[in-house]
Amino acid sequence: MYVSEKYYENLPDIKKVRKGDILYSVVGSFGIPILITDDKKFVFQRHIAILRPNKEVVLPEYLYYLLLNPDFYGLADKYAIGAAQRTISLASLRNMEVAIHTMDEQIKIVEQLTAIDKKIIINHKINDNLAKMIKDTYNHMFVCSQLSSSWANKKLSDIIVRINTGLNPRDNFCLGNGSIKYITVKNLTTDGTLDFSNCDTINPAARQIIHSRSDISVGDILFASIAPLGRCFLIQTHPTDWDINESVFSIRVNTQLVSSEYLYSYFMSDQFIAKRQSSSTGSIFKGIRIGTLLDMDIVIPPSELINEFTNTTKPLFKAKQRCIDESQYLRKLRDWLLPMLMN
């Protein structure tokens, strides 16, 4: 949480977050560490513990990976209390006994794990740039252009062949079984990628139940129906190890009228996001209904212009997917290495 300079300076030192500190959730989804890697001034909210490593004994990066290790989560869970909302006290956290490596060993472990995480960060930055290139191309070709009589207005329902959702686990299946990712709106990002971290999981039987409804496939557009709006994903590879829940719409275009690349970019445009926000409903969780979405007007340029845009951006979408695939592989590699190195 960012605060004013005056407010920050009057805080006691223990409440000021520094570079090298680790934030650790102690309520609800406890056990999710965040390593502070810059000198920005901010303070943390309630239910967040700040861990300041003794750098003569432990490297901040090593302590971060120690807390990220599933074995530590299991240890912390033994100290947690509560059923509906698990909580671990600061005293319990402070008194937990952990085994750590020598400083030389810590350095070697950190080098191996941070090399993976740095590549994931680089991929994320590449995807940010690719998303900007796609958006800039769209704006140049369609937003900055003058509308002409050859540009048509159609309802979304006129240019797609289907729109559907996934399923809620209630009365259908259980979460936490298997290794198939269960995608919700939180996993759709504003740069048009899928974030597979902190996903719930399902087993193949549950995925089959979901997929009989979602039927997600290559070329479909995933659309986050719950605020913050403006998050979509264009499926580039056949989804075999993940599926969606009921808050994610899957939209399949009529390729005789538009391309998936064009409609995805239209959904991600500033102009359409403004329309969606004005059409969203709900007091706590703002969302948009399928019927409202289907009734929205979509500007359709001439086919030759759409084809030019599609041919220009298709390699950019494929490059984004390569980064997503590599990052997912690297996360699996890190999560496989982590317990072995830390133990």
Side-chain angles (χ1 to χ4, degrees), residues 40-320:
K40 291 180 180 178
K41 296 180 179 180
F42 62 95
V43 297
F44 56 94
Q45 296 176 319
R46 292 178 58 196
H47 309 319
I48 300 293
I50 178 171
L51 307 180
R52 187 160 295 160
N54 179 349
K55 296 181 181 179
E56 294 182 1
V57 177
V58 63
L59 297 173
E61 296 86 355
Y62 177 86
L63 181 57
Y64 164 76
Y65 288 118
L66 178 69
L67 299 174
L68 195 63
N69 187 1
D71 286 355
F72 183 85
Y73 179 88
L75 178 63
D77 189 53
K78 293 179 181 179
Y79 285 83
I81 59 175
Q85 191 174 51
R86 304 284 284 165
T87 303
I88 183 170
S89 69
L90 295 183
S92 295
L93 195 60
R94 187 180 295 111
N95 292 325
M96 288 172 60
E97 292 187 1
V98 293
I100 62 173
H101 293 80
T102 66
M103 186 60 70
D104 287 342
E105 291 171 330
Q106 288 182 37
I107 292 172
K108 293 178 181 178
I109 291 171
V110 166
E111 285 177 347
Q112 294 180 68
L113 295 174
T114 55
I116 296 174
D117 280 336
K118 285 178 180 178
K119 177 54 180 167
I120 293 173
I121 292 172
I122 290 172
N123 284 348
H124 181 73
K125 291 179 178 178
I126 292 173
N127 273 336
D128 282 345
N129 289 330
L130 290 169
K132 184 178 184 303
M133 291 171 66
I134 293 170
K135 187 170 185 175
D136 287 347
T137 303
Y138 175 87
N139 288 338
H140 174 72
M141 294 184 65
F142 303 115
V143 177
C144 299
S145 303
Q146 288 284 75
L147 293 178
S148 70
S149 57
S150 60
W151 292 42
N153 273 320
K154 292 184 178 294
K155 300 292 186 185
L156 178 65
S157 58
D158 296 328
I159 63 170
I160 66 172
V161 294
R162 64 180 299 279
I163 181 170
N164 218 333
T165 70
L167 274 177
N168 187 294
R170 185 176 55 252
D171 299 328
N172 295 299
F173 52 87
C174 293
L175 294 176
N177 299 320
S179 58
I180 297 173
K181 304 290 191 300
Y182 182 64
I183 300 299
T184 68
V185 290
K186 70 181 182 182
N187 303 115
L188 272 67
T189 70
T190 54
D191 64 356
T193 61
L194 276 185
D195 180 4
F196 288 101
S197 60
N198 300 319
C199 263
D200 284 318
T201 57
I202 54 177
N203 60 27
R207 201 262 173 174
Q208 187 175 3
I209 296 173
I210 296 170
H211 196 70
S212 64
R213 175 171 173 171
S214 69
D215 191 35
I216 53 175
S217 185
V218 174
D220 289 353
I221 299 168
L222 302 187
F223 183 105
S225 66
I226 299 175
L229 300 175
R231 292 167 295 157
C232 296
F233 176 71
L234 178 56
I235 301 178
Q236 296 283 310
T237 58
H238 188 58
T240 56
D241 60 347
W242 59 273
D243 221 297
I244 60 176
N245 83 333
E246 81 286 358
S247 64
V248 179
F249 300 159
S250 60
I251 300 171
R252 187 167 300 166
V253 305
N254 182 342
T255 54
Q256 300 298 314
L257 299 175
V258 296
S259 69
S260 299
E261 290 80 6
Y262 173 78
L263 187 57
Y264 163 88
S265 299
Y266 190 94
F267 283 154
M268 296 290 280
S269 68
D270 296 336
Q271 296 76 15
F272 190 75
I273 290 173
K275 284 185 182 180
R276 282 187 286 182
Q277 288 172 337
S278 65
S279 302
S280 60
T281 60
S283 55
I284 300 177
F285 295 104
K286 288 282 189 180
I288 189 166
R289 300 179 185 277
I290 287 180
T292 303
L293 190 61
L294 288 173
D295 196 49
M296 283 189 169
D297 291 325
I298 308 291
V299 177
I300 308 298
S303 58
E304 58 270 18
L305 202 55
I306 291 180
N307 291 338
E308 181 183 348
F309 172 78
T310 302
N311 292 334
T312 301
T313 58
K314 193 178 286 288
L316 304 180
F317 281 104
K318 290 186 180 299
K320 283 181 65 178

